Structure formats: C-alpha cells, structure tokens
Amino acid sequence: MALFEGAGVAIVTPMKANGEVNYDKLGELLEFQIAGGTDAIIICGTTGEASTLSHEEHLECIRYTVSKVAGRIPVIAGTGSNCTETAVYLSTEAEKAGADGLLLVTPYYNKATQKGLIAHFANTAKAVDIPVILYNVPSRTGCTILPETAAALIKEADNIVGMKDATGNISQTLQTMYLCQGDIDMYSGNDDQIVPMLSVGGKGVISVLSNVAPKETHDICAKFFEGDVKGSLALQLKYLPLIENLFSEVNPIPVKAALNLMGMEVGPLRLPLTEMEDAHKEKLAAEMKKLGMIK
C-alpha cells in the first residue's frame, strides 16, 4: 500500500519578522491543509526552506507537525542532506518523532556518482524502519537518479518505496517504473504535470500549489482516481497559469508571497532567498484575483 495517494503538500515554514520559525502559524497552516482535504503533509522539504533551518529547528518542525497532525493524515519528513551522516541523523530523529515516512533528496553540490547514490540512499534507508520516498530533482541538485539506480535501490533497501519525480522527463519516469516492476510509487514533483503522472500510474503529487489551493489540488487527483479524467484535466489546465506564476522565481519565493497575499501571514524568507520582485508579484496577484483567491 502506498504511503499516501493524492495531493501531499510541500508545506512552507512560516517565519516571524525576526526570522524565527513561527510555530503557531505553522499550526494554522496545518489545519488549513487538513480542512482543505490535503492527503499528506511533507514538512521540511525544499518549499519549507530546510536548507536554512538549523538541525534543531528542522527536527522541532517535524516534532511539532507530527504532534499537531496527530495521525489524521500521514506526515512525511524531509531529511535528505548532501552528507550521508547528517541524512542518517535527521532520518533517525524523524522516525523517533513519529514521522510516517521520509523524503530523501539527492545529495546536492558535491553530487555523487550513481554508485555513490546507491550507497548514500541505502545507508540512510537502512538506518530506519519507516518508508522512504526518494526525491529526484536534478534542476536543484545537479544530480539525477537514473532508472537503473532506482531499480537497484528498491532491491537494496525494502523500505525505499517511492519517488518524487521532478525531472520533467516522462520517458525517464516510465523507464524507472518499468525497471522497478511495479515496486515503486511515483509522485509528480511538478504541479504542471499532475495529470500526466497519474496517467502513467502515478500515485499523486507532492505539491507547492497545495499550499494555496489544497482542495483544488486534492480534487485534481481525486477526480482522476474516480474516473473523471476530463474533470481532472480541466482543473489541471485551469490552474496552469497560477502554477507558472508560482515558479516565476525560485521556490518558495512566490508561494510565500501568494500566502501573504491571501492574508496567511507566513512572514519573510531566509537569505539567500529574498522577497519576490514587484513585477512578478503583480502578475501573481492578478492571476489569484482571476481565480477568486484574493480580492
């Protein structure tokens, strides 16, 4: 059984004006997501600015989320690192905190050979007993999990069960699924490719869009699973312009701007990320007004 099916939100980490994590606001966002029908919470991923959280903040965000969600939907903790020792540490602590699963990004900057990726992911996965989803996002990390590597990994570690695929390369996605012989659950890592991913047997999406449109992102998946492919596609197409605006600058700059436009008060970003450019923000606001998300 898949760790989850449908729309999992790659949730932002709200900050106070002084840059501290705003846990009270995080609690509000979690309730907003659950009320909107989100199928899973992914905490401390790219969208959650994990790379600029201290280890203590990172783990406290996971603990807080597990406690607040209280088993209502799965909580998946981003615990990847470009240091295997750090990934093992964060992963084992997330398991202790009660996370239902882990999201492990490919090592960034130092990257790795495919042999190195197998050793990195296998060592991290074997340190825990909970399910692991690999995160393949070469545009952010400069490192790709090749289909043959994914196939080797699911044999190497039984708890590697899924992949968040943000390659944008559907041919590579299909080759990965073929070589894994049905033993890997595939999730779209791109909001503009939810329906294409579902059409080839994907289990859902790990989504930025869900931050601002949880019900609609859930419904794209739910309608598809119910057999209403036309309805699912209509929603996917309706939100394509918004998705484009949510990625007009590096994630999570636009989605935090969007949440602030909605009055959610998620606060600033941590450097080196800076506030959204005015021209991009105006286009984002215009699209949100068109969709009735803001006045």
Side-chain angles (χ1 to χ4, degrees), residues 195 198 219-221 223-224 228-236:
V195 172
L198 296 179
D219 286 350
I220 291 172
C221 297
K223 285 179 181 292
F224 190 96
D228 183 9
V229 177
K230 287 186 177 180
S232 174
L233 179 58
L235 270 178
Q236 171 82 90

Side-chain angles (χ1 to χ4, degrees), residues 230-295:
K230 287 186 177 180
S232 174
L233 179 58
L235 270 178
Q236 171 82 90
L237 295 177
K238 178 181 178 179
Y239 282 90
L240 273 181
L242 177 60
I243 292 164
E244 182 179 351
N245 279 281
L246 287 174
F247 290 90
S248 61
E249 293 185 28
V250 67
N251 180 46
I253 291 173
V255 73
K256 271 200 159 178
L259 285 164
N260 285 330
L261 285 168
M262 293 169 67
M264 303 291 275
E265 298 179 357
V266 298
L269 303 119
R270 285 187 175 176
L271 289 171
L273 299 184
T274 53
E275 296 304 310
M276 196 173 190
E277 298 289 341
D278 288 342
H280 292 155
K281 191 172 181 179
E282 287 172 11
K283 290 181 181 179
L284 173 63
E287 185 58 35
M288 293 175 73
K289 286 177 183 176
K290 189 186 300 183
L291 292 167
M293 300 173 72
I294 59 175
K295 293 181 180 179

Side-chain angles (χ1 to χ4, degrees), residues 136 138 144-148 163 165 167-179 186:
N136 200 9
T144 301
I145 304 170
L146 294 178
E148 296 79 5
M163 178 180 286
D165 188 321
T167 64
N169 184 343
I170 200 73
S171 296
Q172 181 174 301
T173 304
L174 284 167
Q175 184 69 4
T176 299
M177 296 172 82
Y178 170 72
L179 292 178
M186 198 67 71

Side-chain angles (χ1 to χ4, degrees), residues 104-184:
L104 298 180
V105 71
T106 47
Y108 38 87
Y109 186 71
N110 52 4
K111 305 193 286 187
T113 62
Q114 296 300 303
K115 179 181 176 182
L117 289 180
I118 292 171
H120 172 78
F121 284 126
N123 274 280
T124 306
K126 288 177 180 179
V128 297
D129 294 319
I130 54 177
V132 168
I133 297 174
L134 307 177
Y135 184 11
N136 200 9
V137 58
S139 65
R140 302 280 306 220
T141 66
C143 188
T144 301
I145 304 170
L146 294 178
E148 296 79 5
T149 300
L153 278 164
I154 63 167
K155 293 176 182 176
E156 182 74 19
D158 291 341
N159 59 330
I160 295 178
V161 299
M163 178 180 286
K164 176 183 177 182
D165 188 321
T167 64
N169 184 343
I170 200 73
S171 296
Q172 181 174 301
T173 304
L174 284 167
Q175 184 69 4
T176 299
M177 296 172 82
Y178 170 72
L179 292 178
C180 290
Q181 300 180 317
D183 288 334
I184 194 163

Side-chain angles (χ1 to χ4, degrees), residues 50-121:
S51 57
T52 50
L53 296 176
S54 69
H55 290 171
E56 293 76 13
E57 289 172 323
H58 194 133
L59 294 173
E60 186 54 33
C61 283
I62 295 169
R63 295 185 191 107
Y64 180 91
T65 299
V66 169
S67 176
K68 185 71 174 177
V69 172
R72 288 176 285 174
I73 57 176
V75 173
I76 299 163
T79 55
S81 173
N82 63 341
C83 169
T84 305
E85 184 179 0
T86 300
V88 168
Y89 167 68
L90 292 173
S91 298
T92 55
E93 290 299 313
E95 182 178 35
K96 291 175 189 175
D100 297 289
L102 305 175
L103 181 69
L104 298 180
V105 71
T106 47
Y108 38 87
Y109 186 71
N110 52 4
K111 305 193 286 187
T113 62
Q114 296 300 303
K115 179 181 176 182
L117 289 180
I118 292 171
H120 172 78
F121 284 126

